[in-house]
């Protein structure tokens, strides 16, 4: 699963996901892409599950690019632990996804396979998405 090799600080504040994507909203690599249309945190496990669903449907033809990286540490305290005693340990890593952000791109397969692969990948994600193609640009 994806996670940073090292970070400046171990834990972060929760923060909020405001506004549209500042970058990463254009098709740069492939012909088809999965674009987020709502703000959400996507975990490393969800990214990996979506990647597996996409590559399985493509039967390992073509190429897949992952355009998001989980760099936000999300901490949680264990179950049945009382309040206080500091912040919990890092539980998982997540990526903040803004509306308009391209999350996955694929190329090297025909239109029907590409759209179905991205649809299957989108089912694994907690974000409302849209499939975009280079022809639509």
């Amino acid at each position: 699963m994806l996670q940073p090799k090292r970070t400046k600080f171990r834990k972060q504040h929760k923060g909020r996901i405001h506004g549209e994507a500042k970058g990463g909203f254009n098709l740069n690599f492939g012909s088809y892409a999965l674009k987020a249309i709502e703000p959400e945190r996507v975990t490393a496990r969800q990214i990996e599950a979506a990647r597996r669903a996409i590559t399985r449907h493509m039967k390992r033809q073509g190429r897949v690019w992952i355009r998001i990286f989980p760099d936000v540490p999300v901490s949680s305290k264990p179950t049945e632990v009382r309040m206080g005693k500091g912040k919990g340990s890092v539980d998982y890593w997540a990526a903040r996804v803004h509306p308009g952000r391209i999350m996955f791109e694929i190329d090297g397969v025909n239109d029907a396979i590409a759209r179905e692969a991205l649809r299957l990948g989108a089912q694994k994600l907690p974000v409302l998405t849209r499939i975009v193609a280079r022809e639509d640009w």
Side-chain angles (χ1 to χ4, degrees), residues 29-30 54-55 58 60-65 105-109:
F29 303 102
I54 291 167
T55 51
M58 289 166 58
R60 300 205 328 268
Q61 306 167 348
R63 176 105 195 256
V64 178
W65 289 269
E105 289 188 40
I106 61 176
D107 203 358
V109 289

Side-chain angles (χ1 to χ4, degrees), residues 51-117:
R51 184 197 65 79
R52 282 185 184 170
I54 291 167
T55 51
R56 284 227 176 100
H57 186 76
M58 289 166 58
K59 298 195 169 77
R60 300 205 328 268
Q61 306 167 348
R63 176 105 195 256
V64 178
W65 289 269
I66 303 171
R67 297 281 307 274
I68 53 175
F69 185 79
D71 56 349
V72 179
V74 179
S75 64
S76 68
K77 294 174 86 67
T79 53
E80 297 181 11
V81 172
R82 293 180 179 188
M83 294 288 104
K85 305 275 188 277
K87 190 170 168 133
S89 57
V90 173
D91 196 24
Y92 60 91
W93 292 86
R96 288 195 189 104
V97 175
H98 291 261
R101 176 76 195 204
I102 298 283
M103 295 189 289
F104 291 91
E105 289 188 40
I106 61 176
D107 203 358
V109 289
N110 66 32
D111 183 76
I113 291 173
R115 288 184 188 276
E116 180 62 15

Side-chain angles (χ1 to χ4, degrees), residues 36-51:
I37 54 175
E38 66 175 354
E40 189 67 61
R41 277 198 313 208
V42 181
T43 69
R45 282 176 181 273
Q46 290 164 343
I47 294 168
E48 178 63 14
R51 184 197 65 79

